Amino acid sequence: MSTRAITIWTFIVTSVAVFMVSLDNLVVTTALPVIKHDLGASLQGLEWTVNAYTLTFAVLLLTGAALGDRFGRKRMFLTGLAIFTAGSAAAALAPSIGWLIAARASQGVGGAIVTPLTLTILSAAVPPARRGLALGIWGGVSGLAVALGPVVGGAVVDGLSWQWIFWLNVPIGIALLPVALLRLTESKGPNRSLDLPGVGLASAGLLGIVWGLVRGNEHGWTSLGVAGPIAAGVVLVGAFVAWELRAREPMVPMRFFRKRAFSAANVTSLLMSFGMFGSIFLLAQYFQIVQGYSPLESGLRTLPWTAMPIFVAPIAGILSDRIGARPLLVAGMALMAAGLGWIAVVASPTVAYVEMIPALVMAGVGMSLYFAPVANLVLSTVRRKEEGKASGVNNTVREVGGVFGVAVLASVFSAVGGYASPQLFVSGMTAALWVGAAAVAVAGIAAVAIPPRQDVVPDSVSLLERGHGDGGGADGELACEPDAAA
């Protein structure tokens, strides 16, 4: 195959894969009330239906990237795709909420392997000069999946049943496997070892924190079953950081965080995802439970927010090459925080939907200005051979933010409101949305710390890093990196 053909096929395969995996982040949201009824699920069960996927996804993203480096990115991409497809079938067959949660966790394992490898495989197949455009389109595809998630979920629930939300993945996965086998090229990373202690510490730490957050309102925040797991989780996360600082082949090279641009990008990712996922988790239920819309009608009403990345993300990718990530991220987070605050102000059991549209559009445009610029920024701060780990770190941080967002905002919702009446639901949702808006506003403040225009690697550095030398100092930083004081 010619280089052009390889690039085209790589883009097709990685785009379809990231679309399918991203779709499952939100496709279940509009089905939550129906699942609650059919399987007799509690609010805690609904939280875990979302978080079982996002938690395993978040914890194992870095492992997925490391497995690709060691055993081959194409091989592990195929493995992850097969696991995700099988997990989707298991979710569709779930007879109970416990079974569904377990199946969602297996989907998360497969998605965690697939997602970082789509970005690494695509980045390797695209010339550096066009990476911003490619990542912009990649972000648009991911955004399209986010946009269609609630709509697809609602349409399937209305027309068929909630089980078909998961059956849809099965034929797509089966069809994509042979195409990926024949059309992708194999590659491996420079580091072939697995940081098993790091995986164990990170997994146990995050699980403890989320377990405590999800159970807090039901069992009491000072109870041993809540405070204990949270405290243990914090200690284990601290132990993870300490281990990574001394490990010979760390899962997360802590030197990445010496770069102000990398650190600021990841703080922005954490807080943006916190506000976005937690807010959509409640908003999708609000349209059905409070305003009486069907699952499909509810999904359609989220489109002014969730459809914006289709139109804005590719433009943001192009602009990130020209003006850098900082202005786009600062503007995006400001718009998104304002949109969430607007929704919190106007929301009521009887508010006309048209009054919410401008706020939804504002939040959607703000979210759209995030995806491609942050991906371009993160990859531009490390050497090419380390892009897999850098991408894995950023994806992990974003997914952890989503897990915490759903857990914390659901806890705020339960503490202030509940499902007993429409007004009580609105009271809880409004309080939670203000928390989400505050988190996104702080994300904008974090984005201000990104060095202006130094987040884009100069051409001279790109040439050095992209194949004409190592370009790294003793600690692996770029030899031609802009002034560290910035």
Side-chain angles (χ1 to χ4, degrees):
M1 274 194 302
S2 66
T3 301
R4 178 180 175 82
I6 291 173
T7 301
I8 292 172
W9 277 110
T10 300
F11 178 78
I12 292 172
V13 171
T14 55
S15 295
V16 172
V18 79
F19 178 90
M20 184 171 66
V21 173
S22 298
L23 188 73
D24 265 59
N25 272 304
L26 293 179
V27 73
V28 76
T29 53
T30 47
L32 290 175
V34 179
I35 293 172
K36 184 177 187 294
H37 177 268
D38 285 359
L39 299 182
S42 63
L43 175 62
Q44 184 181 114
L46 295 182
E47 288 181 65
W48 278 112
T49 300
V50 176
N51 281 343
Y53 179 82
T54 51
L55 182 61
T56 53
F57 190 80
V59 167
L60 297 176
L61 273 167
L62 291 167
T63 306
L67 288 171
D69 284 350
R70 180 176 183 179
F71 297 111
R73 290 159 181 162
K74 173 182 172 180
R75 178 182 299 174
M76 293 312 305
F77 176 87
L78 292 169
T79 301
L81 188 59
I83 294 172
F84 183 86
T85 304
S88 298
L93 295 169
S96 66
I97 192 65
W99 179 306
L100 179 59
I101 290 170
R104 290 282 287 164
S106 68
Q107 280 187 297
V109 172
I113 298 172
V114 169
T115 299
L117 296 179
T118 63
L119 196 55
T120 306
I121 292 169
L122 178 61
S123 179
V126 176
R130 296 190 177 183
R131 186 169 61 181
L133 175 60
L135 294 179
I137 298 173
W138 181 88
V141 170
S142 180
L144 177 62
V146 172
L148 292 181
V151 179
V152 169
V156 170
V157 170
D158 275 1
L160 296 167
S161 66
W162 64 263
Q163 288 89 346
W164 278 93
I165 288 173
F166 304 109
W167 281 127
L168 289 176
N169 293 327
V170 177
I172 297 174
I174 291 174
L176 191 60
L177 280 166
V179 178
L181 179 64
L182 295 173
R183 298 298 182 179
L184 293 182
T185 56
E186 185 61 279
S187 64
K188 293 184 179 180
N191 298 321
R192 306 292 174 82
S193 62
L194 291 178
D195 181 14
L196 293 178
V199 172
L201 289 169
S203 303
L206 292 173
L207 180 61
I209 294 171
V210 174
W211 181 268
L213 289 173
V214 170
R215 290 161 52 88
N217 280 313
E218 181 179 356
H219 298 280
W221 291 99
T222 58
S223 68
L224 183 61
V226 173
I230 292 176
V234 171
V235 171
L236 288 170
V237 169
F240 167 74
V241 173
W243 169 260
E244 295 300 282
L245 287 170
R246 61 185 292 270
R248 293 185 61 183
E249 295 290 348
M251 182 171 67
V252 180
M254 290 297 160
R255 58 184 169 76
F256 285 179
F257 293 95
R258 296 175 193 166
K259 291 177 178 288
R260 199 170 80 192
F262 186 87
S263 295
N266 281 287
V267 172
T268 301
S269 296
L270 179 78
L271 295 171
M272 187 284 302
S273 187
F274 180 102
M276 179 188 74
F277 278 101
S279 299
I280 291 179
F281 173 78
L282 293 172
L283 195 61
Q285 296 181 71
Y286 163 79
F287 284 128
Q288 294 179 62
I289 293 172
V290 175
Q291 299 212 318
Y293 294 115
S294 70
L296 175 57
E297 290 170 335
S298 174
L300 290 172
R301 277 162 177 76
T302 66
L303 277 179
W305 178 349
T306 58
M308 286 300 107
I310 304 170
F311 309 103
V312 179
I315 299 172
I318 296 171
L319 289 175
S320 70
D321 278 339
R322 298 178 180 176
I323 66 173
R326 184 169 77 167
L328 297 169
L329 292 174
V330 171
M333 296 304 96
L335 285 170
M336 190 174 173
L340 290 175
W342 189 339
I343 295 170
V345 169
V346 303
S348 75
T350 58
V351 65
Y353 172 68
V354 69
E355 294 184 34
M356 303 181 71
I357 291 177
L360 293 168
V361 171
M362 186 179 294
V365 172
M367 181 179 72
S368 305
L369 293 176
Y370 160 84
F371 291 110
V374 97
N376 207 1
L377 170 61
V378 166
L379 295 183
S380 296
T381 58
V382 301
R383 293 181 292 175
R384 183 119 190 198
K385 67 182 183 180
E386 295 177 321
E387 285 180 350
K389 286 189 175 182
S391 170
V393 169
N394 184 247
N395 280 305
T396 298
V397 166
R398 187 177 68 244
E399 293 300 323
V400 167
V403 171
F404 286 176
V406 171
V408 172
L409 267 62
S411 296
V412 172
F413 167 83
S414 296
V416 179
Y419 290 97
S421 70
Q423 184 56 56
L424 197 60
F425 188 100
V426 170
S427 297
M429 184 186 76
T430 299
L433 286 177
W434 279 119
V435 173
V440 176
V442 176
I445 296 172
V448 174
I450 297 170
R453 289 299 300 146
Q454 293 181 10
D455 45 72
V456 177
V457 179
D459 290 342
S460 59
V461 177
S462 295
L463 288 173
L464 186 63
E465 289 296 303
R466 308 307 180 194
H468 293 281
D470 182 78
D475 63 353
E477 300 290 355
L478 294 178
C480 301
E481 184 185 1
D483 189 353

